[in-house]
Amino acid sequence: MSTDQRMAGAARMPTYVGMPAFPEAARDAVRDTRLRRNLTHATTTIRAKRAAAVSELDDWAELRETAKRIKDHTIEHLGHYLRLLEEQVTARGGTVHWARDAAEANRIVTDLIKATGETDVVKVKSMATQEIGLNEALAAEGIRAHETDLAELIVQLGHDRPSHILVPAIHRGRAEIREIFRREMPGAPDDLTDEPARLAEAARTHLRERFLKAKVAVSGANFAVAETGSLVVVESEGNGRMCLTLPETLISVMGIEKVVPAWQDLEVFLQLLPRSSTAERMNPYTSIWSGATEGQTFHLVLLDNGRTATREDEVGRQALRCIRCSACLNVCPVYQRAGGHAYGSPYPGPIGAILSPQLRGSSSPVDDSLPYASTLCGACYEVCPVAIDIPEVLVHLRSRAVHGRAEKAAMRFAAWTLRSPTRLAFGQRLAGAAGRVLVRRGGIRRLPGPLARWTDTRDAPVPATETFREWWEKRERP
């Protein structure tokens, strides 16, 4: 990979600093019994509630198929709907900015905040701003971003990283959260307990001052309706609405794939998203605004950051249907054991395994390993509300992974062996003899030399004691 390619990948969505490839990171994570206990409890609970919420709709399968078709149509005609969105937002007093990558998006947002003279901003929970590393970019320019979503606040105060799309602090227990608040939150009560109500009250008191003082807010968007230039943010706490309405300047960073053509299309997704994410019939807070509202300046930053390149891949482009519900994480056996940090990306779990390598557009140890972070069981596809065939994309990305010289040499040797019946027969006899030496307690737990990596995560099959040819000769012998 060239230097230009590495720089392009870093400009899009950098991996977490020092992050090892998935197998190594997951190996450490599965040893953390507290992490596994927290993940198992949380994902099992969410999964059961989601199943109950979905079962209430007789037309769930039809809604899912409709959402898939809307997304595919929009992605196919993305340029048209983005231009329409820009026209409508501009006509309603907003300003639209286009960002090719993370670096450009961060520069746009930073310049807009600097123009207001403010050094503190409040933020609505946003995967797009996590993706581009906005908080870090603002901090480098002397601007402090205050997360207002409770889980994101926990992550920020804990100097941590999100590990789940919907519940970023899913890896933290209540006792850990109490200690974080007591250590890092100004004004936290000395007698703070780990009762959820007490923790929520401490966070509410802490954030209230931020809301009242903030002049600038930064948000993402769950959807944007092209025909009216309307942006949509759905949430459960109400903090997002405070950010969207109180500050004098609102800056929204949105991935270009979030646009939908019309209000009729939005109706479909507002039925699918809450049931798939929080297992609710509808979100407690659904905020919709079209352009600038009275007394507020509005800027919309449309983020590409690898999405146009992903769109060109006929198989991989279906990842752009994602509505960030996190249902695939909650059913994934790999995520449940390894957690979100092992993925080395703001997008963990099955969707992250197909989205991150495509958005980053680079070949790194982390990205090459992510398509293999799956058992291909298909549970993620079954629960996806927009019918993303994640196993299909995983296999597709595996075929694109850059293989080393040793693997290429092994493939050439295998081809040479298979071209000759004599060489194949010799190889089979050799494998049988080697198998008898390597078998321990009925299986091959560890292969020697460079083959050892294969048995890092699985047992090798035991070769048959006799080949098919040998069996056939015995059978046909008079």
Side-chain angles (χ1 to χ4, degrees), residues 417-439:
T417 301
L418 294 171
R419 281 196 296 267
S420 166
T422 303
R423 291 194 291 265
L424 176 60
F426 175 76
Q428 290 172 327
R429 290 194 298 271
L430 184 63
R436 287 190 289 273
V437 173
L438 295 171
V439 169

Side-chain angles (χ1 to χ4, degrees), residues 432-454:
R436 287 190 289 273
V437 173
L438 295 171
V439 169
R440 296 288 185 276
R441 298 189 300 276
I444 298 178
R445 304 286 188 265
R446 189 75 175 173
L447 289 172
L451 299 177
R453 290 190 63 185
W454 175 261

Side-chain angles (χ1 to χ4, degrees), residues 196-207:
R198 292 291 304 278
L199 295 172
E201 177 60 29
R204 189 180 300 112
T205 302
H206 169 74
L207 290 171

Side-chain angles (χ1 to χ4, degrees), residues 82 85-87 89-90 94-98 298-302:
L82 288 174
L85 176 66
E86 181 183 30
E87 291 172 4
V89 170
T90 303
T95 303
V96 177
H97 309 263
W98 298 80
F298 174 59
H299 297 271
L300 172 61
V301 181
L302 294 174

Side-chain angles (χ1 to χ4, degrees), residues 1 59 103 122 281 286 431 467:
M1 181 174 56
D59 61 345
V122 289
R281 295 183 179 92
T286 300
T467 68

Side-chain angles (χ1 to χ4, degrees), residues 1 30 44 48 120 139 189 204 227 396 400 404 406 446 449 462 470 478:
M1 181 174 56
V30 296
T44 301
D120 287 87
R204 189 180 300 112
E227 70 175 357
H396 173 65
R400 285 174 29 183
R446 189 75 175 173
V462 178
E470 292 169 339

Side-chain angles (χ1 to χ4, degrees), residues 20-239:
F22 183 84
E24 184 179 345
R27 189 179 298 113
D28 293 335
V30 296
R31 297 191 184 105
D32 188 335
T33 55
R34 182 173 58 183
L35 172 67
R36 293 185 63 177
R37 184 170 59 251
N38 290 347
L39 288 172
T40 299
H41 172 73
T43 56
T44 301
T45 301
I46 298 171
R47 188 164 64 238
K49 289 182 177 180
R50 176 204 169 274
V54 168
S55 67
E56 295 178 349
L57 295 183
D58 295 333
D59 61 345
W60 180 261
E62 290 79 5
L63 281 170
R64 184 177 187 242
E65 180 61 26
T66 301
K68 172 187 174 182
R69 291 178 181 177
I70 293 170
K71 280 288 189 177
D72 285 348
H73 168 80
T74 308
I75 291 168
E76 184 66 31
H77 303 281
L78 191 57
H80 165 72
Y81 290 114
L82 288 174
R83 286 190 293 271
L84 179 58
L85 176 66
E86 181 183 30
E87 291 172 4
Q88 295 301 319
V89 170
T90 303
R92 288 164 171 77
T95 303
V96 177
H97 309 263
W98 298 80
R100 287 166 293 188
D101 55 27
E104 187 169 9
N106 287 332
R107 186 167 60 251
I108 292 169
V109 176
T110 301
D111 290 346
L112 290 172
I113 296 172
K114 283 184 173 181
T116 68
E118 296 296 317
T119 56
D120 287 87
V121 301
V122 289
K123 281 188 68 212
V124 185
K125 183 179 183 298
S126 164
M127 293 303 300
T129 58
Q130 286 281 354
E131 174 188 325
I132 63 177
L134 179 62
N135 286 10
E136 294 77 9
L138 294 178
E141 297 293 330
I143 300 169
R144 169 76 169 170
H146 301 279
E147 297 289 352
T148 62
D149 175 82
L150 178 56
E152 291 284 5
L153 176 64
I154 294 166
V155 169
Q156 185 177 46
L157 292 177
H159 309 287
D160 202 352
R161 298 189 303 268
S163 64
H164 191 278
I165 290 176
L166 178 65
V167 194
I170 195 172
H171 56 288
R172 295 289 194 183
R174 292 187 306 180
E176 291 178 283
I177 296 170
R178 178 196 61 198
E179 292 307 312
I180 290 171
F181 279 12
R182 292 178 64 180
R183 184 177 66 248
E184 302 287 343
M185 182 184 287
D190 293 333
D191 61 347
L192 182 64
T193 69
D194 64 359
E195 296 176 24
R198 292 291 304 278
L199 295 172
E201 177 60 29
R204 189 180 300 112
T205 302
H206 169 74
L207 290 171
R208 186 174 295 122
E209 183 180 358
R210 304 292 184 196
F211 289 134
L212 295 176
K213 288 183 176 180
K215 302 296 183 182
V216 180
V218 177
S219 82
N222 295 98
F223 307 101
V225 182
E227 70 175 357
T228 58
S230 304
L231 269 69
V232 183
V233 167
V234 297
E235 49 153 343
S236 299
E237 299 173 8
N239 295 336

